[in-house]
Amino acid sequence: MSKYALAVIPALVDPVTGALVGLLGRDGREYALPFAVMNSAGLQGTMQITAGATNIAGALTVTLGGAPATLTNPIVQTTHSVNDYTQVSTQNKSATANASADHICYPDNVTASDLTGFVDIGITSSAFAQAAYAITGPNEAYLFGSAPSGAGKTGDMVIATDSTGSSNAIWFGTGGFGAIANRRAGFVGANLRPYTNGSCGLGDANVGFTKLYVDYTNTATVGAVTINKAAGRVNIAAGATTVTVTNSYCTAAAHVFAVISSSDPSCYLKNVIPAAGSFTINVYNATTVNTSVDFFIINAD
């Protein structure tokens, strides 16, 4: 026999879904129900969790619509079916210098401090100004990765696609979500390229790169040679005025730049003639010694 008396008391119902969410006590206070309840649409997954007071043993599943997929070891699984976006949200209402809203994951070897060893996706507050994370400003979104301090790991962040799609590219966009033209550049296979021809620059006015590294081969071969790279050094034989370089990067429309890179006062560069699969470097006057020439190819279709 329960020590409590049964009574008819008003129910608190969600005005949209009709779900029972609580009871109105005779003292006038509202009491939320801390468990899933039913309405005409079935199990709604309504749960009231009090900060610091609720423990959940086992996985938490919230199903508002549709059939949940069978997943591997989920801790929290939420499912909905709605012709609009659905979300699991976190909002920090503090408009202060250290405030942000974050979703963070940790590896097994983080045990005491959470200052390192995490991946963190989040957004800063409207007044954010924390010195330790000055890389971000107010209301800026971020993705941070940190290896556990002292673990001796790389700390790399890997952003990758599977091979299961039709293109599997990675695109970076700016300027809004409403136009596909706002995709600027990305990786397609092994190539970093603009989304559309001529749609993206490299560097900007007064903001340039300090260095450019291009794969090259400096050959010791004198005369005709094969170098299948965008840059390199070849050698015109003494007494000659030309050298032909077989190169798979070269097309008839390619721009091939060359400069004599050794001392021979008797000759100087005349021209470079590109062709499909090769180019020919010509000089004025026959060389008196073996003369090196550096080349650089900017390709064209």
Side-chain angles (χ1 to χ4, degrees):
M1 174 77 62
S2 172
K3 65 178 181 179
Y4 299 106
L6 296 176
V8 177
I9 57 177
L12 301 176
V13 179
D14 188 307
V16 176
T17 66
L20 176 64
V21 296
L23 300 172
L24 182 62
R26 289 181 173 178
D27 58 1
R29 298 175 63 184
E30 295 180 353
Y31 294 87
L33 295 176
F35 47 78
V37 295
M38 302 290 290
N39 72 356
S40 59
L43 183 63
Q44 297 302 300
T46 301
M47 177 174 286
Q48 192 76 26
I49 298 178
T50 303
T54 303
N55 293 318
I56 301 174
L60 173 62
T61 300
V62 179
T63 304
L64 300 181
T70 301
L71 305 178
T72 303
N73 303 322
I75 298 174
V76 178
Q77 183 174 0
T78 63
T79 307
H80 205 347
S81 180
V82 59
N83 186 24
D84 203 345
Y85 65 87
T86 187
Q87 59 182 304
V88 177
S89 69
T90 300
Q91 184 179 21
N92 188 342
K93 296 294 289 185
S94 175
T96 52
N98 296 330
S100 63
D102 302 75
H103 287 271
I104 309 174
C105 296
Y106 304 94
D108 64 288
N109 52 337
V110 169
T111 58
S113 171
D114 61 0
L115 296 180
T116 67
F118 57 80
V119 60
D120 181 350
I121 185 169
I123 188 167
T124 56
S125 74
S126 58
F128 189 81
Q130 188 177 25
Y133 291 94
I135 194 171
T136 53
N139 283 162
E140 291 185 345
Y142 51 85
L143 175 62
F144 291 158
S146 168
S149 179
K153 309 303 182 182
T154 66
D156 293 347
M157 178 177 288
V158 178
I159 300 174
T161 60
D162 200 351
S163 60
T164 51
S166 60
S167 65
N168 307 304
I170 295 176
W171 294 110
F172 298 93
T174 59
F177 308 127
I180 198 167
N182 289 338
R183 294 186 184 187
R184 305 304 183 185
F187 286 92
V188 181
N191 296 321
L192 175 62
R193 46 150 279 196
Y195 183 67
T196 56
N197 186 45
S199 64
C200 185
L202 186 63
D204 207 343
N206 302 316
V207 185
F209 290 90
T210 58
K211 298 177 182 179
L212 175 64
Y213 291 92
V214 178
D215 191 19
Y216 68 93
T217 291
N218 291 345
T219 183
T221 300
V222 177
V225 68
T226 297
I227 298 178
N228 290 322
K229 295 183 179 179
R233 178 172 295 171
V234 298
N235 301 284
I236 302 175
T241 60
T242 185
V243 63
T244 297
V245 181
T246 300
N247 189 298
S248 60
Y249 288 93
C250 191
T251 69
H255 304 282
V256 185
F257 299 87
V259 59
I260 294 174
S261 53
S262 64
S263 178
D264 186 348
S266 66
C267 76
Y268 53 97
L269 190 68
K270 181 178 181 180
N271 55 35
V272 183
I273 308 299
S278 68
F279 58 89
T280 300
I281 300 172
N282 300 298
V283 297
Y284 287 108
N285 303 324
T287 59
T288 58
V289 295
N290 294 341
T291 301
S292 62
V293 181
D294 293 352
F295 70 87
F296 180 60
I297 300 174
I298 299 178
N299 213 350
D301 295 333

